Amino acid sequence: MKRDGENRSLWQDVQMPSSKPMNEDKNYDVIIAGAGISGITAGYLLQKSGKKCLIIEADNIGFGTTGGTTAHINTFYDAQYDQVIADFGEENAQLLAQTGPEVINQIKSIIAEHHIDCEFADRDSYIFSLDKDQTKKLDDLFEATQKVGIPTERISSNPFPIPFDTIIKIKDQAQFHPTKYIEAVSEEFLKMGGTISLGKKVTEVSEKDKMVEVKTDNFTYKTQDFIWATHVIPNMNRMNFLAAPYRSYVLAFTLQSDDYPEAQGADMYEPYHYYRTQEIDGQKYIIAGGEDHKTGQEENPEERFENLENYVRQYFDVDKITHRWSSQFYTPTDGLPFIGKSPGDEHIYWATGFDGNGMTFGTLSAMMISDCIIGKANKYEKLFNPSRLNVKAGIADTLKETADAVFHLIADKFTAEKIENLEQIKNGEGKTVSLQGKTLSVYRDESGKLFAVKSSCTHMGGTIGWNKTEKSWDCPCHGARFDIEGKVLNGPATVDLEKIELPN
Ligand code: FES
């Protein structure tokens, strides 16, 4: 299967189902855009409840963040419980704490019902501090987990070979092989009569007379309900202020010893490092991640991999780095995801802002939205309501993210490197350059072939920059990404970059 980046993740050796031949049906009960864990799980739950569903995906199943996740299924989140208590109150934090166990049970029940072989495992998670400042933060987190009812205990040893100041164990976490899981869930969805249409982009969605009209490049559908399960909601400016795009870096490696901890771990750095063991077809790996940064705002992403590798080599007896990849996630400005009805609409739903907890919140979104569509009350509806405005938690970060995007919209216009001729672009190099008074983004592949696109992001005109490790053009304003030929990899852009023909 393909992914939205050049590096190969640990999860890409799975053969995903291809489109079922379309029967030209244009009317559905529910249409879902996006075939990652949120879209596939929502389709599965709704089709099972008797709804007639269509999942539309621009690429292949698992192409986006699900193909690049580290597949932790946790009951604690990037928005730490002490912060959630401060921003949303203790009652809401307790409510949030109920989501993880429910998600784990949901995933377990789907796996059990269909005998899915996806290396699911129950695990405990170990969070450790390395200095006094981190210990203070860890103490706050520990106290907060106790308040919200997450089973946590202080312990004195680390299953990972990393020294620590203080360590806590958070029980009852889980993990799995994400693409084996969604491949199997997709098959079940198809068996129940669901339809998946691949290689098709949703271009317009509008609600009229209690129905939703969904347009793709060459089709117009009608549906009772529509779900955006694409992270970014296209053509929705409000989204630009609610969640910010980040990239995280991941290594998978084998050890010289057989000392693979059956545990998950994370330190308290900002951004933090995270670890876990994964066994695939009898081969064990350690997965380690971190080094996060805002999309498009790192000139040398290669250095992020190097930092991560140096860090893990300090502690683990690394035998071989087998995989390395980076992936995109969206950090909500007030800390919690946006799941539920699109503001102002009755039949259009959002599932976005999952931060680094995509497997958990992706599944939760599917559960919540399918409840809402089939008319079942869901206790989390208010907490994750996309129309909420949390003045306490969100405003400062919203202003910060907006200022950052505006800065890049303006300042990056003047950063193109002036070159005299295209020979100055070496094999394997990508650059946004100014050539004879024109700004263009040029990549020369290893064989010397040139690819050029207009440098102006089709979302709002930000200047794209080269992501050397994933071989993509990334926009620093709101995180849109494009491949070397200008095709959209990640929104909010919906239109491909214009290609420029160059003599090769
Ligand atoms: Fe918004 Fe590029 S200008 S993503």
Side-chain angles (χ1 to χ4, degrees), residues 377-438:
N378 187 291
K379 62 184 173 188
Y380 307 119
E381 211 173 302
K382 199 165 157 224
L383 184 60
F384 300 117
N385 185 353
S387 298
R388 71 178 183 265
L389 181 64
N390 188 324
V391 178
K392 219 177 181 183
I395 296 294
D397 278 353
T398 301
L399 292 175
K400 196 175 106 208
E401 295 298 352
T402 308
D404 183 61
V406 170
F407 169 80
H408 282 282
L409 269 171
I410 298 166
D412 293 356
K413 297 268 176 246
F414 309 102
T415 55
E417 181 183 327
K418 235 184 189 169
I419 59 167
E420 299 304 321
N421 57 62
L422 292 165
E423 299 311 310
Q424 288 177 248
I425 311 276
K426 300 188 194 80
N427 287 8
E429 201 170 52
K431 275 181 183 175
T432 291
V433 294
S434 167
L435 176 69
Q436 295 164 1
K438 290 210 169 77

Side-chain angles (χ1 to χ4, degrees), residues 56 200-204 214-221:
I56 300 175
K200 207 177 254 180
K201 212 186 291 174
V202 172
T203 53
E204 211 181 308
V214 179
K215 289 188 179 167
T216 66
D217 292 331
N218 48 10
F219 254 72
T220 299
Y221 301 95

